[in-house]
Amino acid sequence: MLKYIIRRLLQMIPVVLGATFILFCLVFALPGDPTAGRCGERPCPPAYVAAFRAEYHLDDPLLVQYALYLGKLLRGDLGTNFYDNTVVSELAARYPTTVKLAVIALLVEIIVGIIAGVIAGVTHGRFLDYLILVSSLVIISIPTFVIGSLAQLTFGLKLRWFPVTSGDGSWGQLLLPGFVLGSLSVAYVARLTRSNLIENQRADYVRTAKAKGLSGFRTVTVHTLRNSLIPVITYIGYDFGSLMGGAIVTERIFNINGIGNFIFRSINQRDGVSVVGAVTCLVLVYLLANLLVDLLYGVLDPRISHD
């Protein structure tokens, strides 16, 4: 197991290098003047522009800029943004809020999605099955910003069950945004659980369990569901990184001071250092989540070996 973990960590190195290089090229090769608007309505003085571009090496070739950034990254330094704030401090102030939001969305995805999928799989071909299928298809078809706006209008303004904005980013104030963020994933998890459960119910070991006199509930929960959850766990693990990055739209709707909102503002302000640093952290979270999922395979199915 230890050798497998070390091997996977070593495999992450070229992935991080490739992802950061592509991201760096996309961000810093974009046309435009990063000093625009920094001196109010009037253009910045030439001396300020020259000092700004020299400080952030904007006149150097792109590969030189990336090499300098990579040297800082290897020392754990994500750079200093265009407002003289370290990216690490900016992320440290916002990461707890985004993690809370992603955890709430993940719990909603796991609890609601798996329960709905099991109900649909057990009642295959009946009313509840069709109801869950249609409901999940409707959720998948609606964009997140539409679901967020409707939830904010209905549960925030009309019913007043939840606050309209996040405020201080406490758990209670992040419940509604968490449901909105996890709504799309709930639909996918429900459909994935249903399809795998229906497929595994036709397996020989399930027929053997029923022939031994096991109840339907025990057959589903102990035997069928455990094998059916392997692809579901894979999707949920991969989705955690997506939830961290996909919080951009949700955080903008509910005015949450998290990583997604920080990335959105940095893109608008052409603050490339902040964008690259924040997304690099999201890439690392995504890779570590994938590693955790692979390690969980052995728990769900002992036949899977990491040796």
Side-chain angles (χ1 to χ4, degrees):
M1 178 67 72
L2 181 60
K3 292 182 179 179
Y4 174 78
I5 295 176
I6 295 174
R7 186 168 67 249
R8 286 294 304 273
L9 291 175
L10 292 176
Q11 290 173 355
M12 290 181 185
I13 296 176
V15 176
V16 173
L17 292 176
T20 53
F21 178 73
I22 294 173
L23 178 65
F24 196 91
C25 292
L26 290 175
V27 171
F28 286 95
L30 290 175
D33 184 9
T35 62
R38 299 190 182 277
C39 301
E41 296 181 358
R42 287 181 284 182
C44 293
Y48 172 83
V49 174
F52 182 90
R53 299 187 69 86
E55 180 181 358
Y56 293 99
H57 308 282
L58 298 180
D59 292 325
D60 293 335
L62 192 62
L63 290 178
V64 174
Q65 295 182 44
Y66 176 71
L68 293 173
Y69 174 79
L70 192 60
K72 294 181 179 179
L73 182 63
L74 293 176
R75 298 194 300 269
D77 182 8
L78 295 177
T80 303
N81 63 15
F82 293 166
Y83 297 94
D84 291 328
N85 298 320
T86 61
V87 178
V88 172
S89 63
E90 294 279 3
L91 296 179
R94 294 169 173 83
Y95 232 96
T97 303
T98 300
V99 170
K100 290 179 185 177
L101 182 63
V103 167
I104 293 174
L106 195 68
L107 291 176
V108 171
E109 175 182 347
I110 293 172
I111 297 172
V112 179
I114 292 179
I115 291 177
V118 170
I119 293 174
V122 172
T123 61
H124 175 54
R126 286 178 276 178
F127 173 75
L128 281 177
D129 181 26
Y130 292 128
L131 179 63
I132 293 174
L133 281 178
V134 172
S135 301
S136 62
L137 186 60
V138 170
I139 294 175
I140 292 172
S141 304
I142 301 177
T144 304
F145 67 88
V146 175
I147 297 177
S149 301
L150 289 175
Q152 195 177 45
L153 176 63
T154 304
F155 300 105
L157 292 177
K158 292 186 176 181
L159 298 177
R160 298 185 182 275
W161 290 354
F162 299 96
V164 178
T165 58
S166 68
D168 58 358
S170 62
W171 289 97
Q173 293 178 339
L174 292 175
L175 281 177
L176 185 59
F179 272 91
V180 171
L181 180 61
S183 59
L184 182 62
S185 299
V186 165
Y188 283 120
V189 168
R191 296 176 73 91
L192 187 60
T193 304
R194 171 191 177 274
S195 60
N196 283 280
L197 193 64
I198 293 173
E199 181 180 354
N200 285 322
Q201 282 179 336
R202 306 190 188 101
D204 293 337
Y205 68 90
V206 175
R207 287 196 292 268
T208 303
K210 291 179 179 179
K212 290 182 177 179
L214 293 180
S215 62
F217 177 81
R218 183 172 176 80
T219 302
V220 170
T221 55
V222 176
H223 297 282
T224 315
L225 184 60
R226 186 171 181 175
N227 287 333
S228 301
L229 285 181
I230 293 178
V232 177
I233 293 297
T234 302
Y235 174 80
I236 291 174
Y238 294 161
D239 195 46
F240 182 74
S242 301
L243 290 175
M244 295 285 291
I248 294 177
V249 176
T250 306
E251 290 185 1
R252 286 296 298 170
I253 294 173
F254 292 93
N255 195 26
I256 300 171
N257 189 26
I259 300 296
N261 214 344
F262 175 68
I263 294 175
F264 181 85
R265 289 200 301 267
S266 300
I267 293 173
N268 283 341
Q269 297 165 356
R270 292 191 52 79
D271 188 355
V273 178
S274 297
V275 175
V276 175
V279 178
T280 299
C281 289
L282 294 180
V283 170
L284 293 175
V285 170
Y286 190 84
L287 293 174
L288 292 175
N290 291 348
L291 175 60
L292 181 61
V293 168
D294 290 342
L295 295 178
L296 285 176
Y297 283 165
V299 178
L300 292 173
D301 191 349
R303 295 173 299 176
I304 299 176
S305 174
H306 296 299
D307 296 333

mmCIF file of all heavy atoms in Angstrom, residues 28-36 53 270:
data_model
loop_
_atom_site.group_PDB
_atom_site.id
_atom_site.type_symbol
_atom_site.label_atom_id
_atom_site.label_comp_id
_atom_site.label_asym_id
_atom_site.label_seq_id
_atom_site.Cartn_x
_atom_site.Cartn_y
_atom_site.Cartn_z
ATOM 1 N N PHE A 28 -1.509 34.216 -18.973
ATOM 2 C CA PHE A 28 -0.583 35.316 -19.236
ATOM 3 C C PHE A 28 -0.369 35.576 -20.723
ATOM 4 O O PHE A 28 0.257 36.579 -21.077
ATOM 5 C CB PHE A 28 0.762 35.036 -18.563
ATOM 6 C CG PHE A 28 0.726 35.218 -17.081
ATOM 7 C CD1 PHE A 28 0.504 34.143 -16.231
ATOM 8 C CD2 PHE A 28 0.873 36.471 -16.520
ATOM 9 C CE1 PHE A 28 0.457 34.307 -14.860
ATOM 10 C CE2 PHE A 28 0.837 36.648 -15.144
ATOM 11 C CZ PHE A 28 0.619 35.575 -14.317
ATOM 12 N N ALA A 29 -0.877 34.711 -21.592
ATOM 13 C CA ALA A 29 -0.767 34.976 -23.029
ATOM 14 C C ALA A 29 -1.974 35.724 -23.571
ATOM 15 O O ALA A 29 -2.016 36.076 -24.745
ATOM 16 C CB ALA A 29 -0.598 33.655 -23.795
ATOM 17 N N LEU A 30 -2.967 35.979 -22.714
ATOM 18 C CA LEU A 30 -4.156 36.701 -23.157
ATOM 19 C C LEU A 30 -3.804 38.149 -23.477
ATOM 20 O O LEU A 30 -3.007 38.780 -22.775
ATOM 21 C CB LEU A 30 -5.238 36.672 -22.070
ATOM 22 C CG LEU A 30 -5.900 35.322 -21.808
ATOM 23 C CD1 LEU A 30 -6.851 35.439 -20.615
ATOM 24 C CD2 LEU A 30 -6.669 34.854 -23.035
ATOM 25 N N PRO A 31 -4.403 38.710 -24.536
ATOM 26 C CA PRO A 31 -4.138 40.124 -24.848
ATOM 27 C C PRO A 31 -4.796 41.043 -23.826
ATOM 28 O O PRO A 31 -5.766 40.681 -23.177
ATOM 29 C CB PRO A 31 -4.768 40.287 -26.238
ATOM 30 C CG PRO A 31 -5.833 39.235 -26.304
ATOM 31 C CD PRO A 31 -5.310 38.077 -25.499
ATOM 32 N N GLY A 32 -4.255 42.245 -23.723
ATOM 33 C CA GLY A 32 -4.828 43.215 -22.797
ATOM 34 C C GLY A 32 -3.764 43.799 -21.890
ATOM 35 O O GLY A 32 -2.637 43.293 -21.802
ATOM 36 N N ASP A 33 -4.093 44.873 -21.231
ATOM 37 C CA ASP A 33 -3.170 45.584 -20.356
ATOM 38 C C ASP A 33 -3.566 45.356 -18.898
ATOM 39 O O ASP A 33 -4.623 45.821 -18.462
ATOM 40 C CB ASP A 33 -3.196 47.080 -20.674
ATOM 41 C CG ASP A 33 -2.170 47.850 -19.854
ATOM 42 O OD1 ASP A 33 -1.340 47.202 -19.190
ATOM 43 O OD2 ASP A 33 -2.212 49.094 -19.888
ATOM 44 N N PRO A 34 -2.758 44.632 -18.126
ATOM 45 C CA PRO A 34 -3.123 44.380 -16.722
ATOM 46 C C PRO A 34 -3.091 45.629 -15.851
ATOM 47 O O PRO A 34 -3.609 45.620 -14.737
ATOM 48 C CB PRO A 34 -2.066 43.365 -16.259
ATOM 49 C CG PRO A 34 -0.926 43.555 -17.189
ATOM 50 C CD PRO A 34 -1.515 43.953 -18.504
ATOM 51 N N THR A 35 -2.488 46.726 -16.343
ATOM 52 C CA THR A 35 -2.459 47.958 -15.558
ATOM 53 C C THR A 35 -3.670 48.846 -15.831
ATOM 54 O O THR A 35 -3.799 49.911 -15.202
ATOM 55 C CB THR A 35 -1.178 48.757 -15.861
ATOM 56 O OG1 THR A 35 -1.177 49.136 -17.251
ATOM 57 C CG2 THR A 35 0.051 47.928 -15.567
ATOM 58 N N ALA A 36 -4.541 48.417 -16.754
ATOM 59 C CA ALA A 36 -5.708 49.244 -17.088
ATOM 60 C C ALA A 36 -6.631 49.359 -15.883
ATOM 61 O O ALA A 36 -6.962 48.357 -15.241
ATOM 62 C CB ALA A 36 -6.455 48.639 -18.272
ATOM 63 N N ARG A 53 5.446 46.287 -14.788
ATOM 64 C CA ARG A 53 5.800 45.182 -15.694
ATOM 65 C C ARG A 53 7.145 44.571 -15.325
ATOM 66 O O ARG A 53 7.341 43.358 -15.475
ATOM 67 C CB ARG A 53 5.816 45.676 -17.138
ATOM 68 C CG ARG A 53 4.464 46.212 -17.615
ATOM 69 C CD ARG A 53 4.487 46.524 -19.111
ATOM 70 N NE ARG A 53 4.573 45.306 -19.884
ATOM 71 C CZ ARG A 53 3.527 44.579 -20.248
ATOM 72 N NH1 ARG A 53 2.305 44.937 -19.892
ATOM 73 N NH2 ARG A 53 3.687 43.484 -20.964
ATOM 74 N N ARG A 270 -7.874 40.884 -14.241
ATOM 75 C CA ARG A 270 -6.692 40.404 -14.974
ATOM 76 C C ARG A 270 -5.512 40.179 -14.033
ATOM 77 O O ARG A 270 -4.355 40.446 -14.365
ATOM 78 C CB ARG A 270 -6.313 41.383 -16.088
ATOM 79 C CG ARG A 270 -7.324 41.460 -17.217
ATOM 80 C CD ARG A 270 -6.773 42.229 -18.394
ATOM 81 N NE ARG A 270 -5.480 41.712 -18.806
ATOM 82 C CZ ARG A 270 -5.285 40.624 -19.544
ATOM 83 N NH1 ARG A 270 -6.338 39.919 -19.949
ATOM 84 N NH2 ARG A 270 -4.075 40.232 -19.874
#
